[in-house]
Amino acid sequence: GQKRREISKDVIHAIAGSVGSALSITVCYPLETVRTRLQVGDTFLKGCNSIQATSRLLKREGLRSLYRGWYSLVVTLMIMSFIYFYCFHTLRRRVGDFLIVSSEGPANKVVVDLMAGYLAGCVAVIVTGPLWLVNTRLKLQYVKFNKQDDKKPNKTYNGILHCLYNVAKDEGLLTLWNGTVTSIILSLNPAIQLGVYEMFKRRPLMAFAGQDVEHFFNALLAKFVSTIVTYPIQVIQTMQRANVNESLSRSSDSRFNRVLRLYRGLESKLLQTCLNSALMF
């Protein structure tokens, strides 16, 4: 009875988490599209910031281009969130029990949450890796990465299954997991976020505005810092999934330009993070 209740509670948490993720990404998806296209160096958006890129895409390709691949991302996020939340709540109990037995005392809740969160994140990204690759490919179907691409015929995919099948057939089955190693590294993001959040809590910047506003502001700042720290890994991950061969460190570039290349589309990501935080607050 008790075990069954715990399992059903985990399923409810998983469903709630996956529905919340789907609603959030639907609102923020145009920013997700712009960020992805800037990350891979879309020639059409060269020299644009996020607002200019959005305006240019709307004028030339229409609103539909900003939602290209939306369905695949909603499916991916719902599956990933379900796996993550289910694994997180299951692992949290197991890790907590293990630490209590091994240390013969109460387990530190923060340590338990971080360990369970990281392990759950690793399981979720390994299972959904091919779906993330599919979403990147669907978003970038008609995008030109360099001048040589103008002469190549566009690869077109008719949905998730068609893309999975064609990528596996043309590029090999393991290609579907391109970017998974970077995803496992990025699973550390919550740990960075929590560390920064605790630091801001010890040095409150918005104490005068009330407790709720202070918590929101601290959480938002922590997300911003963790995003900036891990953003170059996200750019590399997107390029791996898109199968873009562009070098991020050209010998002719200055060191500053090489760093800038790793932060293409950052403002889209920060704006998306801000909107997402406001929606989930």
Side-chain angles (χ1 to χ4, degrees), residues 11 38 85-86 129 146 181 214 226 249 274:
V11 172
L38 288 171
F85 284 105
Y86 184 81
N146 50 53
V181 173
E214 188 191 336
S226 64
S249 56
C274 194

Side-chain angles (χ1 to χ4, degrees), residues 98-239:
F98 173 76
L99 289 176
I100 288 167
V101 171
S102 60
S103 63
E104 296 180 354
N108 186 310
K109 284 186 177 180
V110 174
V111 173
V112 171
D113 284 352
L114 282 175
M115 285 178 71
Y118 181 68
L119 290 170
C122 290
V123 172
V125 297
I126 289 166
V127 174
T128 59
L131 293 172
W132 284 107
L133 181 131
V134 164
N135 174 252
T136 303
R137 295 294 179 93
L138 289 173
K139 263 192 285 201
L140 301 173
Q141 279 191 91
Y142 308 104
V143 176
K144 304 292 183 187
F145 305 124
N146 50 53
K147 286 176 184 175
Q148 285 79 15
D149 285 342
D150 291 332
K151 297 165 189 173
K152 293 180 189 174
N154 276 317
K155 274 189 181 180
T156 54
Y157 304 108
N158 302 317
I160 299 169
L161 294 176
H162 184 254
C163 185
L164 282 170
Y165 172 75
N166 277 280
V167 170
K169 187 182 73 159
D170 299 339
E171 301 172 43
L173 189 64
L174 288 177
T175 304
L176 292 171
W177 276 271
N178 274 5
T180 301
V181 173
T182 47
S183 291
I184 290 169
I185 296 167
L186 288 167
S187 294
L188 288 167
N189 204 320
I192 298 167
Q193 197 174 310
L194 185 68
V196 175
Y197 179 76
E198 290 298 325
M199 185 184 76
F200 283 131
K201 247 172 68 173
R202 287 192 293 272
R203 294 176 178 81
L205 301 172
M206 297 286 285
F208 63 89
Q211 204 171 25
D212 287 343
V213 174
E214 188 191 336
H215 285 322
F216 174 72
F217 185 75
N218 287 348
L220 191 62
L221 269 180
K223 279 190 179 184
F224 272 28
V225 172
S226 64
T227 299
I228 290 164
V229 169
T230 58
Y231 194 77
I233 303 169
Q234 293 180 41
V235 172
I236 292 164
Q237 180 189 64
T238 302
M239 293 180 78

Side-chain angles (χ1 to χ4, degrees), residues 20-59:
S21 296
L23 289 171
S24 173
I25 199 62
T26 299
V27 174
C28 300
Y29 196 77
L31 289 169
E32 175 76 18
T33 299
V34 168
R35 176 181 65 81
T36 304
R37 291 182 67 159
L38 288 171
Q39 281 180 335
V40 297
D42 181 357
T43 53
F44 177 59
L45 302 179
K46 195 173 181 181
C48 290
N49 60 36
S50 297
I51 294 166
Q52 290 167 335
T54 306
S55 172
R56 195 176 279 194
L57 286 171
L58 278 169
K59 282 178 189 171

Side-chain angles (χ1 to χ4, degrees), residues 256-274:
F256 180 69
N257 282 336
R258 289 178 195 179
V259 172
L260 276 184
R261 210 181 290 278
L262 287 166
Y263 281 92
R264 290 186 300 208
L266 175 65
E267 69 241 32
S268 294
K269 182 65 179 176
L270 291 177
L271 186 55
Q272 187 183 339
T273 299
C274 194

